[in-house]
Amino acid sequence: MEHLPDLPRVVQLPDGRHVYADPGSLPAAFQGPQVVHQHIHQAAPDKTVQRIALGSGVGAGAVAAGVYFGPLLIGVLTAIAANIAMLAFLALILAWGVHTVVKSTGSSQGAAAVRNARRLARRRRR
């Protein structure tokens, strides 16, 4: 494109008229659209999304929602994970308690059944 000659352009003046303009004679404001190079540098993950959203024309409400609900969502998920971990821990303790009670209150018939099962297991291994 640099080898092509500069052609006259049609420019709209502030009063609304359209005129042909020589590219060299135009004021800086009328010399065409300026190319803006946008560089998104590495930032914290929650900030990069807002910067991209603002650059793409998303409204301030969407950005504010991202800023507000992002950490809120992380907090809720952390609380859910903590609750699940606590329930798993309680289930483990309850299972251990039931096992201990059943083991300590076992009858002589239960002990005989365990001995018979062990004998059968030893025979099968041989």
Side-chain angles (χ1 to χ4, degrees):
M1 289 262 202
E2 294 177 11
H3 64 280
L4 296 175
D6 291 331
L7 299 174
R9 299 176 45 171
V10 177
V11 178
Q12 184 176 9
L13 297 176
D15 62 356
R17 292 181 298 145
H18 290 83
V19 295
Y20 284 103
D22 196 19
S25 66
L26 288 176
F30 293 107
Q31 288 194 4
Q34 298 293 322
V35 178
V36 177
H37 295 281
Q38 182 178 7
H39 299 280
I40 300 174
H41 296 281
Q42 185 175 4
D46 58 332
K47 299 290 183 202
T48 303
V49 173
Q50 278 82 34
R51 288 180 184 169
I52 292 172
L54 284 174
S56 64
V58 173
V63 174
V67 169
Y68 179 75
F69 288 114
L72 190 66
L73 178 64
I74 291 172
V76 167
L77 292 176
T78 304
I80 290 171
N83 286 340
I84 290 173
M86 182 61 76
L87 288 174
F89 183 69
L90 286 175
L92 180 69
I93 292 197
L94 288 174
W96 176 78
V98 168
H99 171 74
T100 304
V101 169
V102 168
K103 187 177 171 183
S104 65
T105 60
S107 64
S108 60
Q109 292 175 348
V114 169
R115 280 193 301 272
N116 288 337
R118 285 185 184 153
R119 284 183 198 147
L120 282 175
R122 277 189 236 140
R123 287 182 190 165
R124 289 183 184 165
R125 281 189 237 155
R126 293 183 189 172

